[in-house]
Structures are given as structure tokens and as C-alpha cells.
Amino acid sequence: RTHRVELEGGSLTLITVNASTPEKRLDAWEADLAGVHEAATAHSSEPVLLIGDFNAVREHLTMRQLTASGLTDAVDQTGAGWLPTFPANRWYPPLFAIDHVMVNDRLRVLSLSTFDIKGADHLGLVAQIALS
């Protein structure tokens, strides 16, 4: 879903992501992320922020395509390293970094961290974003 967000000093396009799970319906997952890529590309002349559950790690082709189109994962901008977010409701720590915050070159990510959401199977991500 694409949203227009008005801020002091400007505005941005927010794209919220909740991709299908690839192990259940690979075609739906690919279509979801192709739609995310299309929306981000359509708004590339303005600040773009993508947030949510991509159900993909950075090494997936779909994520590499987003990066190749000019988007940067917040973990790269902040140097946050590996921030696994799933599964968060087990006795062991999360194993997969499938939730992401991504921006184009018109935004900067100042900080990124995870937090627990009671009862959820994902950790949440908190990012501090600034207009470039």
C-alpha cells in the first residue's frame, strides 16, 4: 500500500509491505514484491520509505532487485548489522531478517533497532528517518 505523508520540511511516499509467504504461494509472493518494486520506482523522484514484512532476506533476488533500483536497506545505512526479526515467538531468538526498512537516496536512516511485540511472531523495527 502506498501512502503520502506530509512532514515539516517536505513530504514522502510511504510504502507498507506485507508480502505473502513464499513457501505457501511463490507466485503471490513474487507478485507482491514486484508491486512493491513498481510502486517504489513510480515515486523515485521523491523521498520513498518502504517498511514491513517482505518475507525475504537480503539475498533473495527480489530484495537484490530493490537494492539495484536505488533503494538502501536501513541496516546498511546505519551499520546496524544483522537484525533478525522472525520467528520471535519461540524459546530461541529470531533467526531470519525478513522485515525491512528501505529508503531511496532522498532519505537518511539515522538509527534502527528491534523491539518485542507481545504475542506477535515478528519483532518490530523502529527507524529514525530524516529527509536528505
Side-chain angles (χ1 to χ4, degrees):
R1 299 191 60 153
T2 303
H3 314 273
R4 187 81 176 155
V5 179
E6 298 298 328
L7 306 167
E8 264 185 50
S11 63
L12 64 85
T13 296
L14 171 64
I15 301 170
T16 55
V17 181
N18 189 15
S20 300
T21 56
E23 66 273 7
K24 292 183 181 174
R25 290 218 30 229
L26 183 59
D27 58 336
W29 174 73
E30 290 174 330
D32 288 348
L33 292 179
V36 167
H37 185 269
E38 183 179 311
T41 302
H43 295 278
S44 63
S45 65
E46 56 199 70
V48 175
L49 170 62
L50 289 79
I51 58 172
D53 180 3
F54 290 69
N55 272 314
V57 295
R58 295 169 44 157
E59 294 77 17
H60 276 115
L61 175 61
T62 52
M63 295 301 291
R64 293 193 324 261
Q65 289 169 332
L66 287 168
T67 302
S69 71
L71 296 165
T72 303
D73 198 308
V75 296
D76 293 329
Q77 270 198 15
T78 61
W82 184 58
L83 287 179
T85 56
F86 180 82
N89 59 349
R90 304 290 197 279
W91 59 269
Y92 51 85
L95 301 172
F96 303 101
I98 61 173
D99 300 283
H100 302 273
V101 174
M102 299 186 83
V103 296
N104 68 359
D105 63 357
R106 298 177 181 272
L107 293 172
R108 291 186 335 269
V109 183
L110 306 175
S111 65
L112 181 69
S113 59
T114 60
F115 67 97
D116 187 49
I117 303 169
K118 186 176 173 126
D121 60 348
H122 292 250
L123 293 179
L125 289 170
V126 174
Q128 183 180 12
I129 310 290
L131 295 168
S132 289

